[in-house]
PDB file of all heavy atoms in Angstrom:
ATOM      1  N   MET A  70    -224.670-199.562 -29.431  1.00 97.00           N
ATOM      2  CA  MET A  70    -223.398-200.192 -29.909  1.00 97.00           C
ATOM      3  C   MET A  70    -223.352-201.660 -29.441  1.00 97.00           C
ATOM      4  O   MET A  70    -222.334-202.193 -28.993  1.00 97.00           O
ATOM      5  CB  MET A  70    -222.177-199.454 -29.265  1.00 97.00           C
ATOM      6  CG  MET A  70    -222.159-198.007 -29.626  1.00 97.00           C
ATOM      7  SD  MET A  70    -221.852-197.643 -31.405  1.00 97.00           S
ATOM      8  CE  MET A  70    -220.191-198.089 -31.591  1.00 97.00           C
ATOM      9  N   ASP A  92    -218.114-212.052 -33.242  1.00 96.00           N
ATOM     10  CA  ASP A  92    -217.607-211.314 -32.168  1.00 96.00           C
ATOM     11  C   ASP A  92    -216.379-210.445 -32.541  1.00 96.00           C
ATOM     12  O   ASP A  92    -216.312-209.306 -32.272  1.00 96.00           O
ATOM     13  CB  ASP A  92    -217.164-212.243 -31.042  1.00 96.00           C
ATOM     14  CG  ASP A  92    -216.877-211.536 -29.665  1.00 96.00           C
ATOM     15  OD1 ASP A  92    -217.421-210.409 -29.561  1.00 96.00           O
ATOM     16  OD2 ASP A  92    -216.075-212.131 -28.972  1.00 96.00           O
ATOM     17  N   ILE A 104    -225.430-212.562 -26.779  1.00 94.00           N
ATOM     18  CA  ILE A 104    -225.828-213.923 -27.337  1.00 94.00           C
ATOM     19  C   ILE A 104    -227.022-214.461 -26.719  1.00 94.00           C
ATOM     20  O   ILE A 104    -227.252-214.468 -25.527  1.00 94.00           O
ATOM     21  CB  ILE A 104    -224.672-214.924 -27.158  1.00 94.00           C
ATOM     22  CG1 ILE A 104    -223.365-214.473 -27.798  1.00 94.00           C
ATOM     23  CG2 ILE A 104    -225.084-216.268 -27.612  1.00 94.00           C
ATOM     24  CD1 ILE A 104    -222.124-215.319 -27.388  1.00 94.00           C
ATOM     25  N   ASP A 108    -231.379-222.714 -26.735  1.00 85.00           N
ATOM     26  CA  ASP A 108    -231.211-223.961 -26.051  1.00 85.00           C
ATOM     27  C   ASP A 108    -232.369-224.908 -26.500  1.00 85.00           C
ATOM     28  O   ASP A 108    -232.911-225.666 -25.763  1.00 85.00           O
ATOM     29  CB  ASP A 108    -231.349-223.770 -24.552  1.00 85.00           C
ATOM     30  CG  ASP A 108    -230.031-224.276 -23.918  1.00 85.00           C
ATOM     31  OD1 ASP A 108    -229.376-225.034 -24.504  1.00 85.00           O
ATOM     32  OD2 ASP A 108    -229.754-223.896 -22.688  1.00 85.00           O
ATOM     33  N   ARG A 116    -238.453-213.685 -25.619  1.00 90.00           N
ATOM     34  CA  ARG A 116    -237.648-212.818 -24.743  1.00 90.00           C
ATOM     35  C   ARG A 116    -236.574-211.952 -25.538  1.00 90.00           C
ATOM     36  O   ARG A 116    -236.424-210.802 -25.308  1.00 90.00           O
ATOM     37  CB  ARG A 116    -236.895-213.709 -23.811  1.00 90.00           C
ATOM     38  CG  ARG A 116    -236.593-213.025 -22.544  1.00 90.00           C
ATOM     39  CD  ARG A 116    -235.485-213.795 -21.751  1.00 90.00           C
ATOM     40  NE  ARG A 116    -234.543-212.905 -21.246  1.00 90.00           N
ATOM     41  CZ  ARG A 116    -234.753-211.852 -20.408  1.00 90.00           C
ATOM     42  NH1 ARG A 116    -235.957-211.688 -19.879  1.00 90.00           N
ATOM     43  NH2 ARG A 116    -233.767-211.084 -20.005  1.00 90.00           N
ATOM     44  N   GLY A 148    -238.266-201.533 -37.894  1.00 88.00           N
ATOM     45  CA  GLY A 148    -237.093-200.900 -38.540  1.00 88.00           C
ATOM     46  C   GLY A 148    -235.822-201.441 -37.941  1.00 88.00           C
ATOM     47  O   GLY A 148    -234.795-200.686 -38.018  1.00 88.00           O
ATOM     48  N   MET A 151    -231.584-206.308 -39.381  1.00 93.00           N
ATOM     49  CA  MET A 151    -231.509-207.730 -39.169  1.00 93.00           C
ATOM     50  C   MET A 151    -230.759-208.442 -40.224  1.00 93.00           C
ATOM     51  O   MET A 151    -230.767-207.993 -41.345  1.00 93.00           O
ATOM     52  CB  MET A 151    -232.964-208.238 -39.176  1.00 93.00           C
ATOM     53  CG  MET A 151    -233.752-208.227 -37.885  1.00 93.00           C
ATOM     54  SD  MET A 151    -235.443-208.645 -38.040  1.00 93.00           S
ATOM     55  CE  MET A 151    -235.354-210.198 -38.839  1.00 93.00           C
ATOM     56  N   CYS A 155    -229.398-218.319 -41.222  1.00 84.00           N
ATOM     57  CA  CYS A 155    -229.750-219.605 -41.063  1.00 84.00           C
ATOM     58  C   CYS A 155    -229.862-220.243 -42.452  1.00 84.00           C
ATOM     59  O   CYS A 155    -229.250-221.187 -42.865  1.00 84.00           O
ATOM     60  CB  CYS A 155    -231.034-219.693 -40.292  1.00 84.00           C
ATOM     61  SG  CYS A 155    -232.172-218.183 -40.433  1.00 84.00           S
ATOM     62  N   GLN A 183    -218.298-240.453 -57.768  1.00 97.00           N
ATOM     63  CA  GLN A 183    -216.935-240.480 -58.501  1.00 97.00           C
ATOM     64  C   GLN A 183    -215.954-241.547 -57.957  1.00 97.00           C
ATOM     65  O   GLN A 183    -215.245-242.152 -58.586  1.00 97.00           O
ATOM     66  CB  GLN A 183    -216.176-239.114 -58.331  1.00 97.00           C
ATOM     67  CG  GLN A 183    -216.562-238.137 -59.420  1.00 97.00           C
ATOM     68  CD  GLN A 183    -215.789-236.864 -59.350  1.00 97.00           C
ATOM     69  OE1 GLN A 183    -215.053-236.612 -58.456  1.00 97.00           O
ATOM     70  NE2 GLN A 183    -215.959-235.967 -60.419  1.00 97.00           N
ATOM     71  N   ASP A 226    -233.631-240.091 -40.933  1.00 95.00           N
ATOM     72  CA  ASP A 226    -233.858-238.779 -40.314  1.00 95.00           C
ATOM     73  C   ASP A 226    -232.839-238.574 -39.066  1.00 95.00           C
ATOM     74  O   ASP A 226    -232.530-239.569 -38.455  1.00 95.00           O
ATOM     75  CB  ASP A 226    -235.250-238.580 -39.813  1.00 95.00           C
ATOM     76  CG  ASP A 226    -236.182-238.149 -41.080  1.00 95.00           C
ATOM     77  OD1 ASP A 226    -235.538-237.501 -41.904  1.00 95.00           O
ATOM     78  OD2 ASP A 226    -237.337-238.457 -41.083  1.00 95.00           O
ATOM     79  N   ARG A 228    -230.923-235.290 -36.327  1.00 92.00           N
ATOM     80  CA  ARG A 228    -231.084-233.909 -35.871  1.00 92.00           C
ATOM     81  C   ARG A 228    -229.766-233.296 -35.696  1.00 92.00           C
ATOM     82  O   ARG A 228    -229.496-232.507 -34.872  1.00 92.00           O
ATOM     83  CB  ARG A 228    -231.794-233.891 -34.445  1.00 92.00           C
ATOM     84  CG  ARG A 228    -233.311-234.047 -34.590  1.00 92.00           C
ATOM     85  CD  ARG A 228    -233.926-234.082 -33.286  1.00 92.00           C
ATOM     86  NE  ARG A 228    -233.436-233.047 -32.345  1.00 92.00           N
ATOM     87  CZ  ARG A 228    -232.701-233.363 -31.241  1.00 92.00           C
ATOM     88  NH1 ARG A 228    -232.442-234.594 -30.885  1.00 92.00           N
ATOM     89  NH2 ARG A 228    -232.259-232.309 -30.548  1.00 92.00           N
ATOM     90  N   PHE A 229    -228.796-233.683 -36.595  1.00 94.00           N
ATOM     91  CA  PHE A 229    -227.511-233.009 -36.657  1.00 94.00           C
ATOM     92  C   PHE A 229    -226.645-233.476 -35.523  1.00 94.00           C
ATOM     93  O   PHE A 229    -225.510-232.921 -35.272  1.00 94.00           O
ATOM     94  CB  PHE A 229    -227.509-231.551 -36.690  1.00 94.00           C
ATOM     95  CG  PHE A 229    -228.006-230.871 -38.003  1.00 94.00           C
ATOM     96  CD1 PHE A 229    -228.730-229.727 -38.015  1.00 94.00           C
ATOM     97  CD2 PHE A 229    -227.764-231.511 -39.204  1.00 94.00           C
ATOM     98  CE1 PHE A 229    -229.216-229.150 -39.240  1.00 94.00           C
ATOM     99  CE2 PHE A 229    -228.190-231.022 -40.453  1.00 94.00           C
ATOM    100  CZ  PHE A 229    -228.939-229.802 -40.409  1.00 94.00           C
ATOM    101  N   PHE A 262    -222.283-242.418 -36.453  1.00 98.00           N
ATOM    102  CA  PHE A 262    -222.486-243.516 -37.337  1.00 98.00           C
ATOM    103  C   PHE A 262    -221.196-244.403 -37.411  1.00 98.00           C
ATOM    104  O   PHE A 262    -221.327-245.664 -37.235  1.00 98.00           O
ATOM    105  CB  PHE A 262    -222.697-242.949 -38.796  1.00 98.00           C
ATOM    106  CG  PHE A 262    -223.007-243.984 -39.727  1.00 98.00           C
ATOM    107  CD1 PHE A 262    -224.238-244.484 -40.042  1.00 98.00           C
ATOM    108  CD2 PHE A 262    -221.932-244.450 -40.563  1.00 98.00           C
ATOM    109  CE1 PHE A 262    -224.428-245.486 -41.032  1.00 98.00           C
ATOM    110  CE2 PHE A 262    -222.102-245.383 -41.532  1.00 98.00           C
ATOM    111  CZ  PHE A 262    -223.391-245.919 -41.757  1.00 98.00           C
ATOM    112  N   VAL A 277    -217.372-249.248 -45.916  1.00 98.00           N
ATOM    113  CA  VAL A 277    -218.289-248.166 -46.135  1.00 98.00           C
ATOM    114  C   VAL A 277    -217.530-246.739 -46.085  1.00 98.00           C
ATOM    115  O   VAL A 277    -216.774-246.575 -45.164  1.00 98.00           O
ATOM    116  CB  VAL A 277    -219.527-248.148 -45.281  1.00 98.00           C
ATOM    117  CG1 VAL A 277    -219.040-248.029 -43.778  1.00 98.00           C
ATOM    118  CG2 VAL A 277    -220.468-247.026 -45.649  1.00 98.00           C
ATOM    119  N   THR A 297    -214.867-234.522 -44.919  1.00 98.00           N
ATOM    120  CA  THR A 297    -216.045-233.676 -44.674  1.00 98.00           C
ATOM    121  C   THR A 297    -215.979-232.428 -45.421  1.00 98.00           C
ATOM    122  O   THR A 297    -214.899-232.041 -46.008  1.00 98.00           O
ATOM    123  CB  THR A 297    -216.129-233.341 -43.147  1.00 98.00           C
ATOM    124  OG1 THR A 297    -217.330-232.677 -42.888  1.00 98.00           O
ATOM    125  CG2 THR A 297    -214.995-232.420 -42.787  1.00 98.00           C
ATOM    126  N   GLN A 300    -217.321-225.912 -43.378  1.00 98.00           N
ATOM    127  CA  GLN A 300    -217.941-224.666 -43.470  1.00 98.00           C
ATOM    128  C   GLN A 300    -216.962-223.485 -43.137  1.00 98.00           C
ATOM    129  O   GLN A 300    -216.195-223.730 -42.166  1.00 98.00           O
ATOM    130  CB  GLN A 300    -219.138-224.539 -42.553  1.00 98.00           C
ATOM    131  CG  GLN A 300    -220.328-225.504 -42.771  1.00 98.00           C
ATOM    132  CD  GLN A 300    -221.584-225.031 -42.088  1.00 98.00           C
ATOM    133  OE1 GLN A 300    -221.918-223.865 -42.280  1.00 98.00           O
ATOM    134  NE2 GLN A 300    -222.159-225.890 -41.332  1.00 98.00           N
ATOM    135  N   ARG A 307    -217.891-213.359 -39.595  1.00 98.00           N
ATOM    136  CA  ARG A 307    -217.326-212.019 -39.894  1.00 98.00           C
ATOM    137  C   ARG A 307    -218.236-211.390 -40.970  1.00 98.00           C
ATOM    138  O   ARG A 307    -218.667-210.272 -40.777  1.00 98.00           O
ATOM    139  CB  ARG A 307    -215.928-212.137 -40.313  1.00 98.00           C
ATOM    140  CG  ARG A 307    -214.917-212.481 -39.242  1.00 98.00           C
ATOM    141  CD  ARG A 307    -213.595-211.986 -39.562  1.00 98.00           C
ATOM    142  NE  ARG A 307    -213.450-210.483 -39.474  1.00 98.00           N
ATOM    143  CZ  ARG A 307    -212.476-209.896 -38.808  1.00 98.00           C
ATOM    144  NH1 ARG A 307    -211.559-210.523 -38.198  1.00 98.00           N
ATOM    145  NH2 ARG A 307    -212.497-208.632 -38.687  1.00 98.00           N
TER     146      ARG A 307
END
Side-chain angles (χ1 to χ4, degrees):
Chain A
M70 301 294 282
D92 192 26
I104 298 171
D108 241 340
R116 208 193 133 67
M151 275 170 53
C155 25
Q183 273 184 354
D226 278 332
R228 281 179 43 249
F229 290 147
F262 180 88
V277 60
T297 189
Q300 298 198 50
R307 288 203 73 132

